[in-house]
Amino acid sequence: MTMTAPPIELRSVTKRYGPLRAVDAISLHIEPGECVILAGHNGAGKSTLIKLILGLIRPEAGSVRVLGELAGSSAAARSRRQIGYLPETVALHPSLTGAETLAFYARLKGLPTTGNAALLSRVGIAEAAKRRVGGYSKGMRQRLALAQALLGTPKVLLLDEPTTGLDPASRLLFYDIVRELRDAGCAILLSTHALAELEGQADRVVVLQKGCKIADGTLGDLRRDANLPVRIRLSLDTEPITLPAGWQRIGARRIELSCAEADKLHQLRQAHTIDHVCDIEIDQPGLDEMYAHFLQREDA
């Protein structure tokens, strides 16, 4: 049976700038309908990785394939209209209107402009389509840049700090669009510092440090790997006379237990046997906490 290559596939990729290894022997694949979050401090290698996938730079070692073709090759150039890219720094011509800007990028990709009005409406700037981009707010420019990345219903979408300058409502709209594309089979790589807001969006999280991949997995995988404490809190109908072993008071009718991730299910079963429980809360480590843990572990 023939296996289809993933839309994005990196094998032992290394990229150097002089003595600096910006990307160091990284292997990574992203499947159709998968959203992968790329996390790391400035200089960790995130933008270099995206440039390698786009074929803007070549690796010294390893291979980068996008939609089955070597990135940067003449064969890969033919599939560029199926790749959407939103850079961290958006540079749009201030004299063009929003509609003219989107038409310009559509022609660059060899795509018709017939769906542009609907695309501008989809990102929430249809009313500003005839206004010059120079008069746009930062958030509006970001929405327009997102619209150009969505041209042609891409099979691969690369997003570098995509929510910069967006207000909370615009961020919700953005993540709705990401979910729609993921559900339609698009492979999405999203590089960001805003980890806390992405916990419900990520299928996998990849953490980079100094050009190396130090973590890669689902949120569940990362929680088990980090093994940070989980807190279970119970609200009771009445004040407890005695506390079960391992539990402590955090209020007149509230008690709390801290346990390892691997022990969470056992402790939840035990919690159900405690008398007078009216509510259970689980406080698990978030992406920010796990990210900090992985960085500290590598530095230790």
Side-chain angles (χ1 to χ4, degrees), residues 8 13 111 118 121 126 128 133 192 195 233 248 254 268 284:
I8 300 175
V13 173
L111 296 168
S121 178
V133 173
T192 186
L195 295 177
R233 300 188 184 97
Q248 61 181 1
R254 299 189 78 205
L268 282 171
Q284 298 191 103

Side-chain angles (χ1 to χ4, degrees), residues 191-241:
S191 171
T192 186
H193 289 97
L195 295 177
E197 67 185 43
L198 286 164
E199 295 201 21
Q201 319 299 331
D203 296 301
R204 278 172 40 226
V205 178
V206 173
V207 181
L208 301 184
Q209 185 184 40
K210 298 177 182 177
C212 297
K213 185 173 74 169
I214 62 172
D216 182 354
T218 65
L219 286 176
D221 293 335
L222 297 189
R223 286 196 175 102
R224 285 186 289 272
D225 187 9
N227 200 31
L228 294 172
V230 176
R231 290 180 175 83
I232 302 173
R233 300 188 184 97
L234 304 183
S235 297
L236 309 175
D237 287 330
T238 184
E239 186 171 350
I241 298 173

Side-chain angles (χ1 to χ4, degrees), residues 10-15 23-28 59-63:
L10 287 76
R11 295 186 179 183
S12 303
V13 173
T14 295
K15 176 62 183 177
V23 170
D24 191 0
I26 287 180
S27 294
L28 173 68
E60 275 77 31
S63 65

Side-chain angles (χ1 to χ4, degrees), residues 46-54 85 158 160 189 191:
K46 304 190 304 298
S47 293
T48 299
L49 202 65
I50 289 176
K51 289 176 183 177
L52 286 163
I53 294 170
L54 287 167
Y85 172 49
L158 307 172
D160 197 353
L189 180 64
S191 171

